[in-house]
Amino acid sequence: MMPTYEYECDKCKCRFDRFQYMNDPPLEKCPDCGGHLRRLISGGGGLIFRGSGFYATDYRSSEYKKKAAEDKKSPAPAKAPVAD
Ligand SMILES: [Zn+2]
């Protein structure tokens, strides 16, 4: 199986996929502008782990916002500490 590597250029922000074997040396320079490339890992299933972690953060925060909105809609009974 030939893994697909996704690259993103730090300089011009272009992105492209490249088939490479695991032990192939990673590309380092953008073919367009010569800028520094970052290798993203693409699993081909739509889930991309980005070095920046933006996706994970966005997902978590949107989930959090959704939950917060739901809490507002149907507020749970106040969790008052049970005092004697
Ligand atoms: Zn570039």
Side-chain angles (χ1 to χ4, degrees):
M1 183 181 156
M2 197 102 157
T4 310
Y5 292 105
E6 192 175 6
Y7 287 92
E8 184 178 73
C9 174
D10 276 344
K11 204 167 166 186
C12 70
K13 304 295 178 192
C14 69
R15 282 171 69 170
F16 59 93
D17 293 331
R18 176 66 60 97
F19 288 106
Q20 283 189 302
Y21 287 111
M22 289 291 205
N23 51 7
D24 275 352
L27 301 181
E28 287 178 343
K29 282 195 174 178
C30 174
D32 287 338
C33 71
H36 181 250
L37 287 175
R38 282 186 304 134
R39 190 166 77 174
L40 316 169
I41 299 170
S42 170
L47 182 63
I48 297 172
F49 293 100
R50 306 195 57 182
S52 56
F54 279 167
Y55 278 17
T57 310
D58 282 352
Y59 179 73
R60 202 157 50 198
S61 70
S62 73
E63 272 297 292
Y64 179 84
K65 276 181 205 156
K66 207 169 80 182
K67 278 198 180 126
E70 277 168 8
D71 281 352
K72 266 186 200 164
K73 245 185 281 172
S74 55
K79 281 184 215 151
V82 180
D84 281 322

